[in-house]
Amino acid sequence: MSDSPTPRLPTVRLLQTELHNVDRATLLAALTRGSVFTPNVDIVMKQVHDPAFRALFHKAEFRICDSAILMLAARFLGTPLKEKISGSDFLFEFCQYHRHDPDYRMFLLGAAPGVAELAQANINAKLGAPFVIGCYSPPLGFENDAAECEAIRQRIRASGAGTVAVALGAPKQERWIIANRDLLPEVRVFMGVGAAVDFEAGIVPRAPVWMSRNGLEWAWRLGQEPRRLWRRYLIEDLPFFWLILKQKWASKTAMPSATTPIYATMKAGTSQMQILDIHYDDLTKAEAVDVLLTRAVERTPTFATYLNLDCLRLSQLRPDYKALLQDADFVMPDGIGIRIATRLIGQHKREHWEVTSLFTEFIQGSGAAGLKLYLAGSQDGVAEAAAEKFRSLFPDVQICGTHTGYIKDHDAVVADINASGANVLIVGMGAPIQEKWIATHRAALQPTMLLGVGALFDWTSGRLQRAPVLMQKLHLEWAWRILIEPKRMFRRYLIDGIGFLLSVPRRHQAVAKSKP
């Protein structure tokens, strides 16, 4: 699946989800190869709270609207969607469209025992042809059983199916499809169809047409399965409407538009702000994680680093380091010092966060997104200890190599990174050493995502102890660092840092006046 071209279809953004804006006829004609996901409000909300699922979801070549409520939300935002295409309808429509083409015969995976067989019989009876040629209802928890997953792949191969419709519910079906589609290259189309197999089997009644047209399918399903669905619809999904209002308000300012991905507007500069002569990206932490995961998944070449007050100070003393920051694809503001500095020049960042937590969330989401990481930095053994900690915290994370930051043979390390198969390189050597190392070797490195992460490995491995939670909440981590590393940090924070901070307004004004 990975070698199939992604169709160039227009998109509409609802919160953190990019939907393809297509009608039914266009979708059927375009869907010759790829994965189809059908987001509703619940799936959109899952992506708001789960960056890993969000990155995985956007690997699908076709993401189509399966909700009248999403249609109304898109219209409210001024970016109307062409058509609602529910997965429960599209399953049979796809079968009907390809009923005479043996290359697209279908295998049904999912539903309760006996249900898929009944759906298979009903679909074939309506078509008057054996289009659905296989089905299987896997046992509970099968996705964690490697032998069972291989047996399922063998069933699909043996059936000769060119299409697999997966009815496991979100997010399990999307995760299974992304994890297995490259292992089944003979399958042309994967579809996540949710309850569509139950509907085709006739064991679950569908909502009346008038309820479906008016966005009330959720009420029908709630009435059918109140114990299972009350929390989803009445608690977890309810903030959707408030978040859509916030997106509407944000679209009237300098924020990214509702039709453009956050990472695209970032590259275009619409989310950027400038302090002195350094640009930084003014995003919320959730948006920043989304940018990194999306660009990593799409293999977009990216050099990302951070900007704290000391980095800003060093950039004014070292032109070579300033040039590296100016050439970075993504610069993340970090720490209370840079927050105060931006306030002094009249800027107000949308959200305050520390890059340590951002990088940790990125690593957490990398496993489900199918990314492979290589860690390089800090003292001997620290990167490996950090890798072990990440593996214990996030069992699905894939770390395929580590190396100390004290490098003797740079070419050998670059070769080791490339041989590891990593597509994300995380470098923790501190600024500006890490930025220089990345810039020097970038052309020879195969990973497309290059991150400068400072002391992340030291914090994660426990070599350095993080500030108590109360100090973190009060933005006093700088004081904690002085306590644990007084010789190195006293001058940085209390002499150089404060003196430079007080000079920022004057320096910023001078930079502004120097521009033509």
Side-chain angles (χ1 to χ4, degrees):
M1 297 298 301
S2 59
D3 60 351
S4 61
T6 302
R8 294 184 177 275
L9 300 173
T11 62
V12 168
R13 181 171 67 88
L14 294 179
L15 305 184
Q16 302 296 323
T17 302
E18 297 287 333
L19 296 171
H20 287 114
N21 195 7
V22 294
D23 56 40
R24 204 173 303 261
T26 301
L27 177 62
L28 285 168
L31 183 54
T32 58
R33 182 175 286 272
S35 301
V36 184
F37 293 164
T38 56
N40 53 26
V41 171
D42 186 60
I43 292 175
V44 168
M45 288 302 294
K46 280 181 168 62
Q47 292 180 67
V48 169
H49 302 298
D50 187 345
F53 178 58
R54 181 165 64 243
L56 176 147
F57 190 88
H58 284 80
K59 287 186 175 184
E61 290 82 2
F62 300 89
R63 304 178 297 276
I64 57 177
C65 175
D66 184 7
S67 167
I69 293 176
L70 295 185
M71 294 281 292
L72 292 170
R75 187 180 306 166
F76 172 72
L77 292 171
T79 55
L81 289 160
K82 292 181 179 179
E83 189 174 359
K84 172 197 168 192
I85 309 173
S86 65
S88 49
D89 292 327
F90 189 71
L91 175 64
F92 183 74
E93 290 167 354
F94 179 87
C95 296
Q96 196 170 35
Y97 186 85
H98 288 287
R99 65 188 181 277
H100 299 306
D101 190 341
D103 289 338
Y104 289 94
R105 291 181 301 177
M106 183 174 288
F107 188 100
L108 303 179
L109 176 64
V115 175
E117 288 87 346
L118 187 56
Q120 176 182 3
N122 288 347
I123 292 172
N124 288 342
K126 287 191 288 184
L127 291 174
F131 184 79
V132 180
I133 56 175
C135 62
Y136 181 62
S137 299
L140 188 66
F142 80 97
E143 67 275 12
N144 299 316
D145 185 338
E148 176 66 16
C149 286
E150 177 55 32
I152 290 172
R153 291 191 290 268
Q154 292 290 1
R155 284 175 179 265
I156 293 170
R157 294 185 190 108
S159 73
T163 304
V164 177
V166 185
L168 301 172
K172 185 184 292 186
Q173 63 191 19
E174 289 81 10
R175 286 174 175 155
W176 191 91
I177 288 171
I178 297 302
N180 288 273
R181 62 181 187 173
D182 287 339
L183 301 175
L184 291 164
E186 60 273 20
V187 176
R188 294 169 176 262
V189 175
F190 288 87
M191 303 169 62
V193 297
V197 172
D198 294 330
F199 294 144
E200 289 294 340
I203 66 164
V204 175
R206 293 199 63 179
V209 173
W210 70 268
M211 294 188 78
S212 178
R213 287 178 178 172
N214 289 281
L216 294 173
E217 282 181 295
W218 66 271
W220 173 265
R221 293 202 64 191
L222 182 60
Q224 298 292 314
E225 302 179 86
R227 289 187 178 182
R228 188 171 75 87
L229 297 177
W230 75 270
R231 183 175 182 84
R232 174 193 297 182
Y233 291 137
L234 300 183
I235 297 179
E236 295 172 354
D237 292 350
L238 205 56
F240 170 81
F241 302 99
W242 166 244
L243 294 174
I244 287 294
L245 279 172
K246 288 180 68 176
Q247 182 174 334
K248 178 71 171 180
W249 294 333
S251 68
K252 296 180 179 179
T253 69
M255 304 270 288
S257 74
T259 57
T260 310
I262 291 170
Y263 63 89
T265 58
M266 178 208 72
K267 190 171 181 63
T270 57
S271 71
Q272 287 191 332
M273 300 184 76
Q274 180 176 332
I275 181 167
L276 305 186
D277 42 10
I278 304 297
H279 288 89
Y280 66 90
D281 294 280
D282 184 30
L283 302 174
T284 67
K285 183 166 69 171
E287 290 171 349
V289 172
D290 185 47
V291 167
L292 294 177
L293 285 172
T294 303
R295 290 173 72 94
V297 166
E298 294 182 349
R299 305 297 190 264
T300 303
T302 302
F303 165 36
T305 188
Y306 56 86
L307 179 72
N308 59 31
L309 186 65
D310 194 57
C311 295
L312 185 63
R313 182 182 68 84
L314 288 175
S315 73
Q316 304 306 299
L317 299 174
R318 303 176 62 165
D320 57 337
Y321 178 47
K322 179 192 294 186
L324 294 174
L325 290 176
Q326 291 172 334
D327 288 342
D329 301 292
F330 190 25
V331 177
M332 296 160 281
D334 176 43
I336 189 64
I338 203 71
R339 184 184 188 187
I340 295 172
T342 57
R343 289 288 182 92
L344 289 176
I345 61 172
Q347 295 177 2
H348 295 274
K349 289 169 53 198
R350 292 168 55 203
E351 186 176 282
H352 176 68
W353 39 266
E354 307 289 339
V355 293
T356 298
S357 61
L358 177 136
F359 290 135
T360 301
E361 289 188 22
F362 170 81
I363 291 171
Q364 179 182 8
S366 68
L371 300 173
K372 296 180 180 180
L373 317 180
Y374 192 106
L375 314 185
S378 194
Q379 300 176 6
D380 288 347
V382 173
E384 181 57 38
E388 288 303 314
K389 183 65 175 180
F390 286 131
R391 291 184 184 110
S392 68
L393 291 172
F394 317 123
D396 60 350
V397 71
Q398 299 182 66
I399 299 176
C400 52
T402 65
H403 199 281
T404 177
Y406 296 90
I407 300 173
K408 296 178 180 179
D409 188 340
H410 296 275
D411 291 340
V413 172
V414 170
D416 186 58
I417 292 168
N418 291 342
S420 73
N423 37 49
V424 178
L425 173 61
I426 304 178
V427 183
M429 300 176 182
I433 297 173
Q434 62 197 11
E435 289 79 11
K436 281 183 151 186
W437 194 91
I438 289 172
T440 300
H441 301 284
R442 185 174 186 179
L445 288 164
Q446 291 181 8
T448 53
M449 172 66 70
L450 308 172
L451 298 178
V453 299
L456 177 67
F457 305 154
D458 297 300
W459 300 124
T460 304
S461 66
R463 191 188 81 80
L464 293 178
Q465 185 179 354
R466 289 207 69 181
V469 174
L470 179 60
M471 294 188 76
Q472 293 181 41
K473 289 182 177 179
L474 294 173
H475 309 305
L476 292 173
E477 287 183 289
W478 61 271
W480 176 259
R481 293 209 66 182
I482 291 175
L483 290 174
I484 62 174
E485 298 182 276
K487 290 184 179 180
R488 192 163 75 92
M489 295 298 172
F490 179 84
R491 182 176 182 87
R492 174 190 291 189
Y493 288 126
L494 297 184
I495 299 178
D496 295 337
I498 292 177
F500 177 74
L501 184 63
L502 294 175
S503 73
V504 165
R506 172 179 54 79
R507 290 171 179 267
H508 189 75
Q509 190 175 28
V511 170
K513 287 183 177 179
S514 68
K515 291 184 177 180

